Amino acid sequence: NGGTSWAPLTPPGGYMWGLGWYANTITISPTDPDFAIFGAGGNYVTTTAGASWCELASPHLHADIHAFWWHADGFKQTLYLASDGGVILSYDNGATWSSDTNIYPITQFRNVDVGLNDGAQLAAGTSTYLGGAQDNSIILSTNAGGSWTIHVGGDGSGALVDPNNPNVLYAADGSGSPPFDRLRSDDGGTNWKIIDNGISSFATTNPQMQHDQAPAIRVYTAEGGTVYKSVDQGGTWTPLN
């Protein structure tokens, strides 16, 4: 009735994940007023004007939904979805999604480190890059940024490549808010282990990591106002203040 009166239609399940201030959007089909999708942390769809809801699920769907957009190409309605993971699309009202055309470059790196390589590696284009990306994991390139692979999901932060051995990698990773764990891989990112021994509190969002590029590196990180140092590849951490 043109907004004269309103009724609550909130989807079930706490779909906002406490992120309504950051990710919160609604779309209604331009051809069916009973069809709507609510997006926030997750996605819920109704085909009954809010009388019933079901959750949208797809391996292509990324959390933290920011926008929807409908586009009619003359044959079918295409629904675009923008999230922290990029832009994806659906040709069937959100039943299935495709990320094949997700070429929108939105990855936000919080930290990037480049392995110190010899001339042969540089010439061959095999330099190691490691990055911690906002809501897009710890990601790794072993061909100087030509392609990337995802390692450790969630929110990436600190990222280090051992200057003496590019197979030894360090990272800080979490889920948007503390705690963030410090991690190390000894096999080029195939396996990771938590290296938090000696860190006494976990109150920092997106903690940093650094090393000194020495022959036997010392690794540093900060947490809750304290700077920590490790001389054994993160096996133990000692507070410096």
Side-chain angles (χ1 to χ4, degrees), residues 171-184:
D173 188 82
S175 297
S177 59
F180 275 66
D181 287 314
R182 278 70 173 175
L183 309 164
R184 188 182 80 231

Side-chain angles (χ1 to χ4, degrees), residues 123-210:
T126 58
S127 302
T128 298
Y129 295 0
L130 186 70
Q134 187 273 326
D135 207 9
N136 279 279
S137 312
I138 301 297
I139 53 180
L140 173 70
S141 173
T142 56
N143 58 3
S147 60
W148 296 82
T149 54
I150 295 175
H151 298 258
V152 191
D155 283 272
S157 185
L160 296 176
V161 181
D162 190 312
N164 307 301
N165 182 355
N167 287 317
V168 179
L169 309 171
Y170 300 86
D173 188 82
S175 297
S177 59
F180 275 66
D181 287 314
R182 278 70 173 175
L183 309 164
R184 188 182 80 231
S185 173
D186 298 320
D187 54 12
T190 301
N191 298 287
W192 295 81
K193 60 183 177 182
I194 295 174
I195 52 168
D196 288 336
N197 185 32
I199 298 176
S200 59
S201 67
F202 296 90
T204 300
T205 301
N206 309 322
Q208 307 298 303
M209 301 184 75
Q210 190 56 268

Side-chain angles (χ1 to χ4, degrees), residues 39-62:
N43 289 281
Y44 275 83
V45 61
T46 180
T47 59
T48 58
S52 60
W53 296 87
C54 65
E55 187 172 9
L56 290 179
S58 167
H60 297 280
L61 282 172
H62 194 286

